[in-house]
Amino acid sequence: MTQRRRPAPKRATSGFNLKQLPPRWLKLGTVVALVMVVLGGVLAGRTMLNNPKNLPISQIDVQGDLKFIKDEEMRKVIEKYTQTNLYLLDAEALEVDLETQPWVRSVTLRKSWPERLVVVVEEQRPLAFWGKERIMNQFGELFTAELPGATLPTLYSPEDKGREMAQRFITVNEWLRGLPLELSELTEDASGSWRMKLKGGPEVLIGTEEHERRIARFKVGFQRELASKLGNVRRIDLRYTNGFAVEWRQTPLGLRDSAGESRRS
């Protein structure tokens, strides 16, 4: 009598098998897992950096060709903002505060992680005094600062035309070339009338027009009569049609006060 075999019991199978997933799903799952790990790390890092006691700024490096700015004064301003870390540093407010300092033209901040702050300072470079209260830099910009004992020329116009006045100063010096004279002031009043002052000498009223022609006429008069007497001249007025007037401290014998005719512009 033949005995029937009983079928082997089926093994229980899991309801989920990774091998059964499409490859693109496996890749997607891997990417999602990595993203979650990265996000977790970022959040943990932010949590750490949001505490100003973690990784505090320990090194401040002030850079720049500084002649008028004192390092200790800069650091006093900077240290008000650096009792924290680079992440929490209010860089914009620090830049604004530093740029209000008299001799600072601009500031650039660089964060060198994890604990170093680099402060790059561009200092003002004075080119001339602007009137009695301000200074003009090499870009024709005006600023207010103390500069005692300096021997800079003085420029001024009521419209704050810094670059234009600087160019005029260069031009007038060119017109005076060949004379043993140094221009120390060049100003313009509200009517547009020019006035210059010679270093160690008198002021010269130039007027509103024919500036080059009038200075050429002054050069001729200087070479003929004034070269040896300039120290006795208080003022020279070039605002005449065919000459100029000289105001003496003490009128030398044999010299006229005025070399001009019809008056002036």
Side-chain angles (χ1 to χ4, degrees):
M1 185 174 180
T2 305
Q3 193 174 15
R4 294 182 178 179
R5 290 185 179 179
R6 294 182 180 179
K10 295 181 178 181
R11 294 180 180 178
T13 59
S14 172
F16 177 76
N17 190 342
L18 288 175
K19 293 181 180 181
Q20 296 174 352
L21 290 175
R24 63 177 182 274
W25 285 29
L26 290 175
K27 291 181 180 179
L28 179 61
T30 301
V31 171
V32 170
L34 288 174
V35 169
M36 295 299 292
V37 171
V38 172
L39 286 176
V42 170
L43 291 174
R46 278 194 175 184
T47 300
M48 181 192 72
L49 291 175
N50 275 319
N51 184 346
K53 294 182 179 180
N54 292 326
L55 296 177
I57 298 171
S58 61
Q59 184 178 354
I60 300 170
D61 187 5
V62 178
Q63 299 179 356
D65 182 13
L66 306 182
K67 180 179 179 181
F68 302 98
I69 297 173
K70 295 181 179 179
D71 185 75
E72 59 269 22
E73 293 178 356
M74 292 289 290
R75 291 185 180 275
K76 282 182 182 179
V77 177
I78 295 170
E79 287 171 1
K80 293 187 297 183
Y81 294 85
T82 54
Q83 305 305 309
T84 183
N85 55 46
L86 292 176
Y87 178 72
L88 296 176
L89 173 68
D90 191 345
E92 183 177 349
L94 175 55
E95 284 186 4
V96 170
D97 204 347
L98 287 173
E99 288 177 354
T100 61
Q101 304 304 304
W103 284 100
V104 175
R105 182 172 184 264
S106 67
V107 171
T108 301
L109 301 183
R110 293 203 305 263
K111 298 178 180 180
S112 182
W113 293 89
E115 301 169 347
R116 178 170 171 254
L117 176 65
V118 180
V119 182
V120 182
V121 182
E122 181 187 5
E123 189 177 57
Q124 300 279 15
R125 288 289 177 262
L127 183 67
F129 289 110
W130 189 260
K132 296 181 179 179
E133 298 180 352
R134 289 184 290 175
I135 300 172
M136 187 182 74
N137 68 15
Q138 71 272 37
F139 302 104
E141 300 164 344
L142 308 178
F143 64 99
T144 302
E146 295 292 330
L147 190 59
T151 56
L152 297 175
T154 298
L155 306 178
Y156 181 75
S157 81
E159 298 180 8
D160 289 349
K161 298 181 290 190
R163 292 188 182 184
E164 185 175 336
M165 290 300 295
Q167 184 57 53
R168 288 181 188 176
F169 185 84
I170 295 171
T171 300
V172 173
N173 267 317
E174 288 292 323
W175 293 342
L176 291 171
R177 180 179 291 182
L179 299 184
L181 301 174
E182 184 177 347
L183 186 60
S184 63
E185 292 184 24
L186 181 63
T187 61
E188 178 186 53
D189 64 20
S191 67
S193 181
W194 294 16
R195 168 192 166 275
M196 68 179 181
K197 192 172 189 308
L198 303 173
K199 187 174 182 179
E203 67 172 355
V204 181
L205 307 179
I206 305 173
T208 59
E209 58 187 43
E210 297 185 327
H211 306 109
E212 184 175 7
R213 182 179 177 183
R214 291 176 177 181
I215 290 178
R217 195 161 58 221
F218 163 72
K219 290 178 68 174
V220 173
F222 176 86
Q223 292 166 333
R224 288 180 178 175
E225 293 190 42
L226 296 180
S228 61
K229 305 176 180 67
L230 198 63
N232 192 31
V233 176
R234 178 177 287 111
R235 177 181 298 173
I236 298 171
D237 192 344
L238 307 182
R239 299 172 297 171
Y240 288 81
T241 304
N242 296 313
F244 58 85
V246 177
E247 181 183 337
W248 302 95
R249 299 180 189 278
Q250 293 181 348
T251 304
L253 294 176
L255 288 180
R256 297 167 60 192
D257 286 346
S258 176
E261 295 180 2
S262 57
R263 186 83 166 172
R264 69 202 175 182
S265 56

